Amino acid sequence: VPFRDFFYHQPAYYLYLLSWLPEPNAESIWLYRLPAGVGVWLTGAVLYAIAREGLNLRLAILAPVLFYASLLVAPGVQALPHGLMIFGTALGFYLVLVRGDRRNVVAGATLMAVAVCLKPLAISSVIALAFTLLILPKSRKYLVLYVLTVALVGTLGILGMHLLSDGGFTHALTLQLSRTSSQSGVQIMKSLPGLSADMEGLGEVSSLLFNVAVHGIALTQLPLDFPGNYIFANSTFQLLILASIGLWGMRTVRRESPWFSALGLWWL
């Protein structure tokens, strides 16, 4: 049982999903990769539907093509929750901002919260969408409904993990919130015998800087959401800023960690 018999670094719902499959071996491993692969495949379709709202048919097809060709999609086709996470956030974005009625806002917010329960990295997307609803006058009326739905589904997700883990998940969550004043999660993992060698191989990495960078990437969409913001939305100014940060990120990789090379390419 996750959090009772062994440690897990995020909510374990994806593990429970995979637990219904046959015992993993060389012949059945594709089944464990299938949920993420389907999530990535469906995300491309959602991105096409979003792009069709503002582009003609020929240009809209570039959205899924660029997405499928991205090197950063690689974790989405492994036995990891990333594929379903990005599908939930993309479809939630589509339902809330493109479809945009009360029923679709509730459905989209639910999907966004479920994505966080699968992989907390989706929190940045949830925050970015909340700011977007606040910024856009025509969507502002749905902000409270969106926030309440996310909060309700998220609370149910925490309660569910609490019950499944006999309280172990909430105990780990409490430790996660309290440990930041003393030491980082990376330092804690380096002290565990089973993880010390792997963590040392990553180099001197700051988990705080890594998380700030990841969430910063998602939040860079916000300047594009301001109505009439021609400085960012209709010029190369933002692209120059992101490219500069990307070059800095790749230069820093020698001193920090291979993670920053991926982040640098993402910025570019």
Side-chain angles (χ1 to χ4, degrees):
V1 175
F3 301 105
R4 191 189 69 186
D5 302 311
F6 65 93
F7 175 73
Y8 196 58
H9 68 292
Q10 58 198 20
Y13 287 112
Y14 197 70
L15 294 184
Y16 281 102
L17 173 65
L18 298 183
S19 70
W20 290 91
L21 299 176
E23 185 175 348
N25 53 47
E27 288 73 33
S28 66
I29 190 63
W30 68 273
L31 282 172
Y32 284 75
R33 294 172 176 164
L34 185 61
V38 170
V40 168
W41 174 58
L42 292 176
T43 300
V46 175
L47 294 178
Y48 173 77
I50 294 173
R52 283 286 287 127
E53 294 297 313
L55 301 172
N56 62 39
L57 180 61
R58 293 183 215 174
L59 289 178
I61 198 65
L62 289 176
V65 168
L66 292 174
F67 172 71
Y68 291 140
S70 172
L71 294 175
L72 295 167
V73 171
V77 291
Q78 299 172 4
L80 295 169
H82 298 65
L84 294 182
M85 178 197 71
I86 56 178
F87 173 61
T89 54
L91 185 56
F93 179 93
Y94 173 77
L95 291 174
V96 173
L97 283 186
V98 177
R99 300 299 292 273
D101 55 53
R102 292 180 64 87
R103 183 172 60 182
N104 283 308
V105 168
V106 171
T110 300
L111 285 171
M112 298 284 278
V114 169
V116 174
C117 291
L118 290 173
K119 178 77 176 175
L121 194 61
I123 289 175
S124 54
S125 298
V126 172
I127 296 173
L129 187 52
F131 277 120
T132 301
L133 292 175
L134 178 64
I135 291 166
L136 298 177
K138 64 179 181 180
S139 303
R140 198 170 295 154
K141 60 184 177 182
Y142 296 124
L143 175 62
V144 174
L145 180 62
Y146 170 81
V147 172
L148 290 178
T149 303
V150 168
L152 175 61
V153 176
T155 301
L156 292 175
I158 294 175
L159 178 61
M161 281 308 310
H162 174 80
L163 296 175
L164 287 170
S165 63
D166 296 331
F169 175 74
T170 46
H171 179 63
L173 191 62
T174 303
L175 292 176
Q176 170 75 6
L177 296 174
S178 62
R179 56 86 180 163
T180 52
S181 61
S182 57
Q183 58 180 334
S184 71
V186 171
Q187 291 172 321
I188 293 175
M189 287 188 286
K190 283 184 176 181
S191 67
L192 300 176
L195 295 176
S196 57
D198 291 336
M199 296 306 300
E200 290 295 338
L202 291 175
E204 294 299 324
V205 59
S206 166
S207 58
L208 177 62
L209 288 177
F210 176 73
N211 281 284
V212 167
V214 170
H215 295 303
I217 289 168
L219 293 173
T220 53
Q221 75 172 67
L222 288 177
L224 301 178
D225 295 327
F226 282 92
N229 189 356
Y230 298 105
I231 294 178
F232 279 93
N234 296 326
S235 75
T236 59
F237 184 53
Q238 187 188 33
L239 293 179
L240 289 174
I241 293 176
L242 296 183
S244 300
I245 297 175
L247 291 173
W248 172 83
M250 291 200 297
R251 185 184 68 84
T252 310
V253 65
R254 298 175 187 173
R255 299 197 305 271
E256 299 291 345
S257 159
W259 293 351
F260 278 92
S261 62
L263 289 174
L265 289 171
W266 200 350
W267 278 111
L268 287 172

